[in-house]
Amino acid sequence: METKLVVFQSKEIRRLLVDNVWFFAVVDVIAALTDSDKPRDYWYRMKKRELDASGIELSTFCRQLKLESSDGKKYLTEMASTEGLFRIIQSIPSPKAEPFKRWLAKVGYERVQEIEDPELATKRIRELYKAKGYSEAWVEKRMRGIAIRAELTEEWKNRGVKGEPEYAILTAEISKAAFGMTPGEYKQFKGLGRENLRDHMTDLELIFSMLGEAATTEIARKQDAQGFPENKVAAHKGGRIAGEAREKLEVETGERVVTSENFLVEPESRKRLKGKKP
């Protein structure tokens, strides 16, 4: 399963890819369409109102899936596919409903295109980062990091690591060894909520993240690590390679690589994250 954020009229909506089908967090959709500051309460009342009026239980259009919340933890969340959302939003009296339907249809169609031509997904990711103001140099590093991460998770899969939560534990092992913090601690240090940590890393932070994961992949292959325990050892070793390189650079420059800066803060953090023009 793959989690991503999409944006509708400046409102972030969490979605989860399950068997090539996008499922969207219903409470996020309600927040986007109603501007309610309590979308969960709105959703509860809406379900009750619809049940009383038509006898239809809107939850039947949903699946309970684990999704990361603003505190960094994962909770079971009611999520709906594109088809399910089309029915749910019929019960939302909002002038945004029609443009949302068009947006939703476009998002679903883009996924079909990406399945047929994976290069389109890469192109869209690049365009999204550039639209947010990231530099070409930063985007290149971010895209390379995504490829290295995908290679690592594929290696774990082939070596008997059983998906989540084992991937998360191994990732935390690499991060702790490379930066002295787990991803959750790192996000807290940067003042992030449910934002993607790597979207708020500087060039150097991205480079050492890549080094830790690339080293872990290579060690797992060379040592033929099998199962979770052996891959956890490989993850620690790979993370330490990045950690030792980071520490040596910090000694030479007199500056810490790990920074609390993020892309949410203007202007200095953005300047640093954007890096130099290639």
Side-chain angles (χ1 to χ4, degrees):
M1 294 190 293
E2 175 189 0
T3 304
K4 285 189 177 180
L5 284 174
V6 283
V7 178
F8 171 74
Q9 296 185 358
S10 78
K11 297 286 187 178
E12 291 184 341
I13 298 173
R14 292 167 294 170
R15 63 176 177 171
L16 195 63
L17 187 63
V18 182
D19 297 327
N20 283 327
V21 176
W22 283 118
F23 286 82
F24 300 81
V26 176
V27 291
D28 292 355
V29 172
I30 290 172
L33 293 181
T34 67
D35 295 322
S36 171
D37 58 352
K38 295 183 178 179
R40 295 184 188 280
D41 292 345
Y42 190 105
W43 174 227
Y44 172 79
R45 293 193 301 271
M46 192 174 96
K47 286 189 290 184
K48 187 176 185 303
R49 183 174 63 247
E50 185 65 38
L51 184 62
D52 292 341
S54 66
I56 295 175
E57 174 54 74
L58 292 178
S59 287
T60 59
F61 298 99
C62 304
R63 286 180 60 177
Q64 292 275 346
L65 298 169
K66 279 197 171 183
L67 196 64
E68 186 172 327
S69 187
S70 57
D71 62 2
K73 297 179 181 179
K74 291 187 176 182
Y75 301 96
L76 284 173
T77 305
E78 284 191 294
M79 306 189 71
S81 65
T82 302
E83 293 77 9
L85 276 183
F86 271 115
R87 173 58 188 87
I88 289 170
I89 61 180
Q90 289 179 21
S91 301
I92 304 176
S94 169
K96 298 180 181 179
E98 285 306 315
F100 183 81
K101 288 179 184 178
R102 293 193 293 271
W103 173 84
L104 190 60
K106 181 176 182 291
V107 170
Y109 176 63
E110 286 177 353
R111 179 56 192 165
V112 173
Q113 290 180 306
E114 289 168 4
I115 292 171
E116 294 175 348
D117 185 0
E119 288 186 8
L120 286 174
T122 301
K123 182 180 179 181
R124 286 195 179 104
I125 293 172
R126 287 179 181 274
E127 290 174 349
L128 178 61
Y129 281 127
K130 290 176 184 177
K132 289 182 176 180
Y134 291 98
S135 71
E136 284 278 359
W138 187 95
V139 172
E140 286 302 317
K141 294 181 183 68
R142 184 72 179 95
M143 296 304 297
R144 184 57 188 150
I146 290 172
I148 288 172
R149 173 69 183 178
E151 186 177 4
L152 174 59
T153 55
E154 185 65 20
E155 197 70 31
W156 282 340
K157 178 183 176 182
N158 295 336
R159 294 183 175 281
V161 179
K162 300 175 182 177
E164 298 291 354
E166 291 187 354
Y167 285 5
I169 295 171
L170 295 181
T171 300
E173 191 72 29
I174 297 171
S175 179
K176 187 77 173 179
F179 299 107
M181 291 182 284
T182 65
E185 293 168 339
Y186 212 149
K187 289 178 74 172
Q188 186 175 17
F189 179 67
K190 281 183 173 288
L192 303 174
R194 67 188 188 196
E195 294 86 4
N196 186 304
L197 172 61
R198 298 188 196 203
D199 285 354
H200 296 273
M201 284 185 167
T202 63
D203 288 53
L204 284 175
E205 288 174 307
L206 285 176
I207 288 169
F208 287 111
S209 293
M210 286 189 278
L211 176 58
E213 294 192 335
T216 297
T217 301
E218 192 65 18
I219 290 169
R221 287 172 179 164
K222 295 298 184 184
Q223 298 184 356
D224 193 23
Q226 297 295 329
F228 176 74
E230 291 184 10
N231 277 283
K232 187 175 181 182
V233 172
H236 180 78
K237 290 180 178 179
R240 275 311 302 153
I241 288 172
E244 289 169 4
R246 172 184 60 80
E247 289 163 2
K248 288 179 180 178
L249 178 62
E250 289 175 339
V251 169
E252 292 296 327
T253 63
E255 292 185 0
R256 291 189 64 191
V257 168
V258 176
T259 172
S260 60
E261 295 175 356
N262 63 56
F263 199 72
L264 300 176
V265 182
E266 289 279 13
E268 293 303 319
S269 296
R270 177 164 293 194
K271 287 179 181 177
R272 180 166 179 178
L273 279 169
K274 288 178 72 174
K276 297 179 179 179
K277 296 287 184 180

